[in-house]
Amino acid sequence: MNMATMMMSRMMSMSPSSPSSSSSSSYSPLATQSLSAPSSKPPTNLPFRTIPGSHGWPLVGPISDRLDYFWFQGPDTFFRSRMEKHKSTVFRTNVPPSFPFFRQVNPNVVAIVDCKSFSHLFDMEIVEKKDVLIGDFMPSVKFTGDTRVCAYLDTSEPKHAQLKNFAIDILKRSSKVWVTELLGNLDKFWDTIESEISKDGSSSYISHLQNFIFNFLTKSLVGADPAFDPDVANSGPFTLNVWLGLQLLPTIPLRVIQPLEEIFLHSYTYPFALVSGGYRKFYKFVEQHGKEVVQRGEEEFGLSTSDAIHNMIFVLGFNAFGGFSIFLPTLLATIASDKSGLQARLREEVRKTSQSSSTRLSFDSVKDMELVNSVVYETLRLNPPVTLQYARARKDFQLTSHDSIFNIKKGELLCGYQPLAMRDGNVFDEPESFKPDRFVGNGKELLSYLFWSNGPQTGSPSESNKQCAAKDYVTQSASLIVAHIFQRYDSISGNSGKITAVEKA
C-alpha cells in the first residue's frame, strides 16, 4: 500500500468503523432541558459552571495531550476520558499540533462533546470561522495557489459571499448531469468489482471507488471528462490523496509504528513542492477544459481566473473527493457486513419504490425511500466524515449544555468532537447502536440534531453560514448509490475495504 493510500485509509477510519465499536460513556448529563438553538438568554434554571479542565503547564501540557491524542489513547478515548474525569461535556484541553514543532499554533481549546453545546459552533452571530477549518493550525496557502479559499474565510469577509455563491452555482448547474454521471460511473465500478470477484474471489475496492468518485465529480463539477487528459485521468486520485494528506498529516493519528509516527509524521509541516507538479497539472486541466465554469466565476461572481480555479479544485478535491472517500467506504461496509436482515428490507423498499430494475433512479425517486435515507443518515451520525469542528468566539457569550451554562470569552477556540456529540444519549436513543430506522417517520425530527456538514441536516447552505454547499447532494447521492445496489443485486457481502460476493438480481 503506498503512502497516499495509507493516509486516506487512515482518514477513513478516524471515527469508529463499526456502529458498536465505541464503548458507552459512564457519564451522561441530566436530560432536563430540551435542545434549542444557542440564545443570548440561556435558560435561567441551569446553573453557571466554571469550565473544568486546564491546558496544563506551558509546553508540558500540550505535549502530554499530544501524546495521549496521537499515541496512548487516540481521539475517541482522549475526549471520552476527559469528559468522564471532569463530569462535563464542556472542558478545557489541548488538541495537536502544538509547540515545539508548530511555533505559531496555539493548541488550547474548549472542547465540546454533547449535541446541545455543539450547535453553538454554527451560530455565526457568536462565533467566527476565520482560518480554523482544522483548528489553529492552517496548512500553507501554497497548497491552494497562494489563495485563502472559501473554507478558511469567515462569513464577515466580503469575498466569502462571492465564493460561497459560486460554489452553490456550480452545484446547481451540475445537477443537469450529476445523476447521469454518478450512475454511469457506478455501473463501471461494479463491473470492475464483479470481474475481480470472478477472478480472485474478492475485490479490494478502495482504489476503484476513488476512481469512480474522481471521474463523476470531475465531469459534474468541472464539466470535463478526465479522459481528455490521460495523465490527469490516471494520476488524479493519487494526486488528490497526496495533496490532502500533506495538508492534514500533522493532525491525523495514523496509529502505526510509534514513536516513529511522532518523530517523522506529526512533527513537521510538509512542503507543497512534494505535490506541486500534480496540482499544477490539474490546475491546467481545469483552466483548459472547465472554461465555462471558470468564466461564470469571473463574469457572474467577480472572481479572478486563479481564484475561481483554486476554489473549484478545493471544492472538488478537499470537500467532495475527500469527503466521499471517507464516507462511502463506511456506508458500503455497513451494508455489506450486516447480518440483521437489513439488506432484504432495503431491497424490498428500493424495488417497491422504483418498480423494476430498469426504472431510472433520480434524486426525486430516492426521496420516497425512507429506510434508504435513514441508513445514510445513521451512517453519517455514527461515522461523520469530519470528526472535529472548530469555531472561535466572536464575542463573549454564554454556552449552554444540557445541564450547565459556561462563560466563553472572545477569542477562545471551541473544538467540537463530532463522534461523541452525535452519540448524545439525551438526544438519540441507544446512541452507540446502529439503528437503521432511526430517521424513519417521526424520527425525521432528529435530523435537526444531525450535525455532519458544518450545520444541522435541516439547515440550508447560504452565503451567511459555513454549511457545506453540497450537503443535500452528498446525502441524496449516497441514497442513490444504496438504491442502485439493490436494483442491481439481491445482496452483497464484504467488510471495510473489500467486497467478497455479490448476488445479481
Side-chain angles (χ1 to χ4, degrees), residues 451-467:
F451 300 102
W452 67 271
S453 60
N454 223 354
Q457 180 59 34
T458 51
S460 298
S462 74
E463 64 182 49
S464 63
N465 63 37
K466 295 298 291 183
Q467 188 153 34

Side-chain angles (χ1 to χ4, degrees), residues 235 239 275-283:
S235 65
T239 296
V275 73
S276 60
Y279 185 87
R280 289 176 183 134
K281 192 176 297 181
F282 195 62
Y283 181 97

